Amino acid sequence: MTPPRPPNRPTRRTVLRSLSAGTLAALAGCGANAPSEADSESGSEPPSATTGASTADLRPDETVELPANTGTNTVAGDTSWDTWRYDGQIPGPELRVREGDVFRARVSNQLPESTTIHWHGVPVRNAMDGVPEVTQQPISTGETFEYSFRAEPAGTYFYHSHVGLQLDRGLAGPLIIEEADPHVEYDRDITLVLDDFLPGPPQMPDASGGGGSGGMGSGSGGMGGGMMGDTRPPYEGLLINGRLPSDPPSFSVEDGERIRMRFINASSATTFHVALAGHEMQVSHADGRPVEPVGVDSFVFGAGERYDAIVEANSPGAWEVRAAALDGDEPPAKAVLRYGNSDDAPTPVESTGQQLRYSDLRALSPVDGIDSGPDRTFDLTLSAGGGRSYRWTIDGQTYPDADPLRISAGDHVRVRMTNHSPVVHPMHLHGHFFQVGDAVKDTVLVPGHMGEVTFDFIADNPGQWLFHCHNLYHLHAGMARAFVYE
């Protein structure tokens, strides 16, 4: 629960850079620092898991220890499970850093398997991207790896394991890079990490879509089994900040405050429909990037997407935040926005009202250099693989046995995707932001049933960069390619 703000505490509007010297920080992108030759050579050996790479030139403003370990976590008053987590928490600790600062994260692996961390959405140098066997050697059990980055640009991001199915064990946490000069006024912010709850070890499905305990099976949301309909794992519930809806997190606010709500979809296989009872949400950021504020009652976002929204606290009482799975039948995840000492039962969401569309988003800082025609164009088909194995493909190829998408530094790259499956795919590009319509993002939902999405980006961050579906099971069934700088 977030405590109420003391009456004499300066507001976020009046003190924009009021982070304490001891504030936890997170690594972030290093757009101002050119990668070294070792970072950007596509054929170079990934850096060692014990030494990191090319960090000597970055003097950290702070260093944080971030162990990955096992333990027991509680998701409701009477429900606990043995899981994997960062620093003993589900989700992992909220890491905050000021825009422009350099942070070093020492990740010690106390898990029974090798691991890495990917800093989702931040255009880091390639060697710090956390993709095993591509940008780094996995961190073996008992070893430590140091990630160092400059914290820019500002925004709402998150960090998570990029090894196997470890994300679906709970290995994710929020990463907040504070703006030096935000374009919206607010008094303080709260972070809501949405996730799906799988109490057993995750498993890949078989060709029919079925699996063993912890494999794919129930919760398909009526989509049907097998490859054509796909299924989701047998989730036992949906979480906000690690809590089931039977024991939801509560956020205390004061009448008259402006609250910035940071929503992060850190799930492995869930598209959420989010709504807040009794208040309008002014969406101010998409995937961390500022947009012209747009008033909505609800929004849909896929795995890997983030939205920030400003909420005017002008309706005393207690109000429900609800996040329902579009592709599952679990009870919606919930949180409570509670004014002062109100002990009212939360007023539920009764209507999702005006829903955000991508076409509503207007980036304040569009991608530079895409006004003319592209230098490289890729027309990609997203589809189920068919056959006797569970596969998802891009242009009929499954990663890692897929041709690289070759680009050169400075290229204006255009990607057109057509979804030949009935299943939505949240497609995520590492190391770059792209422009889709008038929005700047790093993850975009491609609708099923021949849905089409086109985005453009500038090749300004040399290396090897994964491009993949952020449905964890689709990714590990092959729905990925790599953009490789020539």
Side-chain angles (χ1 to χ4, degrees):
M1 179 184 298
T2 302
R5 176 171 54 82
N8 295 324
R9 175 180 163 184
T11 71
R12 182 62 173 76
R13 276 178 276 184
T14 58
V15 183
L16 298 178
R17 302 187 63 141
S18 58
L19 297 177
S20 70
T23 299
L24 280 178
L27 61 85
C30 191
N33 293 345
S36 71
E37 184 178 2
D39 294 340
S40 59
E41 275 190 38
S42 60
S44 61
E45 180 75 9
S48 165
T50 57
T51 62
S54 301
T55 59
D57 58 327
L58 298 177
R59 296 185 60 185
D61 297 290
E62 282 189 80
T63 299
V64 66
E65 303 291 331
L66 190 61
N69 49 34
T70 63
T72 301
N73 275 74
T74 300
V75 291
D78 56 353
T79 305
S80 298
W81 95 110
D82 293 329
T83 188
W84 298 2
R85 67 267 177 96
Y86 292 119
D87 202 18
Q89 301 180 39
I90 297 287
E94 181 171 298
L95 305 180
R96 284 183 175 255
V97 62
R98 288 175 297 212
E99 183 177 14
D101 279 359
V102 173
F103 187 77
R104 180 168 294 165
R106 289 177 48 85
V107 179
S108 57
N109 183 10
Q110 302 167 16
L111 303 171
E113 299 176 4
S114 295
T115 194
T116 66
I117 287 185
H118 169 58
W119 309 87
H120 183 104
V122 185
V124 299
R125 294 175 300 137
N126 199 220
M128 298 290 102
D129 196 45
V131 179
E133 307 297 347
V134 176
T135 67
Q136 72 171 96
Q137 299 292 345
I139 311 168
S140 298
T141 301
E143 291 188 343
T144 296
F145 186 85
E146 293 185 352
Y147 295 90
S148 295
F149 306 91
R150 188 174 302 281
E152 53 190 23
T156 299
Y157 306 101
F158 70 111
Y159 59 94
H160 64 81
S161 169
H162 219 294
V163 172
L165 302 178
Q166 291 179 5
L167 174 61
D168 220 359
R169 288 180 176 268
L171 286 173
L175 163 62
I176 310 300
I177 302 176
E178 290 275 2
E179 298 103 326
D181 186 18
H183 74 291
V184 287
E185 293 185 339
Y186 60 99
D187 296 300
R188 57 192 175 94
D189 60 325
I190 58 178
T191 304
L192 299 93
V193 179
L194 281 64
D195 204 352
D196 29 34
F197 170 49
L198 184 67
Q203 297 178 14
M204 286 295 292
D206 57 31
S208 67
S213 61
M216 309 287 262
S218 63
S220 63
M223 292 194 302
M227 289 301 297
M228 288 306 295
D230 197 33
T231 54
R232 292 166 64 249
Y235 291 121
E236 290 198 3
L238 303 174
L239 307 175
I240 293 181
N241 290 1
R243 309 296 294 181
L244 287 169
S246 59
D247 188 14
S250 182
F251 300 95
S252 181
V253 301
E254 294 180 9
D255 192 9
E257 281 189 312
R258 286 171 59 87
I259 305 298
R260 180 173 177 174
M261 302 181 73
R262 300 176 183 263
F263 294 92
I264 298 171
N265 187 342
S267 72
S268 296
T270 300
T271 300
F272 285 99
H273 190 181
V274 178
L276 169 62
H279 302 74
E280 181 185 67
M281 294 183 287
Q282 288 279 331
V283 173
S284 60
H285 297 74
D287 288 356
R289 306 305 297 136
V291 299
E292 296 178 8
V294 54
V296 298
D297 300 300
S298 67
F299 60 84
V300 169
F301 69 161
E305 290 190 287
R306 293 92 60 210
Y307 284 114
D308 294 15
I310 303 299
V311 173
E312 293 272 5
N314 53 15
S315 298
W319 302 91
E320 176 185 86
V321 181
R322 188 182 71 185
L326 288 190
D327 40 10
D329 53 13
E330 304 88 1
K334 293 181 181 179
V336 179
L337 207 63
R338 188 176 298 278
Y339 285 69
N341 297 320
S342 172
D343 58 0
D344 296 343
T347 301
V349 172
E350 296 184 356
S351 172
T352 54
Q354 179 65 39
Q355 181 179 315
L356 180 72
R357 302 166 297 177
Y358 283 146
S359 60
D360 296 325
L361 299 172
R362 299 285 185 272
L364 294 186
S365 299
V367 173
D368 289 331
I370 62 170
D371 294 334
S372 59
D375 300 300
R376 307 280 181 106
T377 299
F378 299 93
D379 290 290
L380 304 177
T381 299
L382 313 179
S383 60
R388 301 181 63 84
S389 60
Y390 182 79
R391 295 192 305 134
W392 288 94
T393 72
I394 297 178
D395 269 9
Q397 298 185 11
T398 55
Y399 189 84
D401 300 320
D403 297 330
L405 305 175
R406 297 192 178 278
I407 58 178
S408 297
D411 279 351
H412 166 195
V413 183
R414 177 165 293 165
V415 178
R416 291 194 288 248
M417 297 174 288
T418 304
N419 187 354
H420 285 210
S421 79
V423 179
V424 65
H425 296 294
M427 301 301 295
H428 172 54
L429 175 62
H430 287 219
H432 305 75
F433 291 105
F434 54 73
Q435 186 154 328
V436 52
D438 292 317
V440 174
K441 301 182 93 273
D442 56 67
T443 308
V444 64
L445 282 173
V446 184
H449 302 287
M450 303 304 291
E452 296 184 359
V453 170
T454 297
F455 67 76
D456 293 76
F457 71 96
I458 298 298
D460 58 2
N461 195 4
Q464 301 182 81
W465 300 102
L466 206 60
F467 171 59
H468 64 92
C469 180
H470 219 274
N471 180 309
L472 186 64
Y473 298 89
H474 296 177
L475 164 61
H476 287 281
M479 188 168 272
R481 299 289 284 273
F483 281 97
V484 177
Y485 282 66
E486 296 179 318

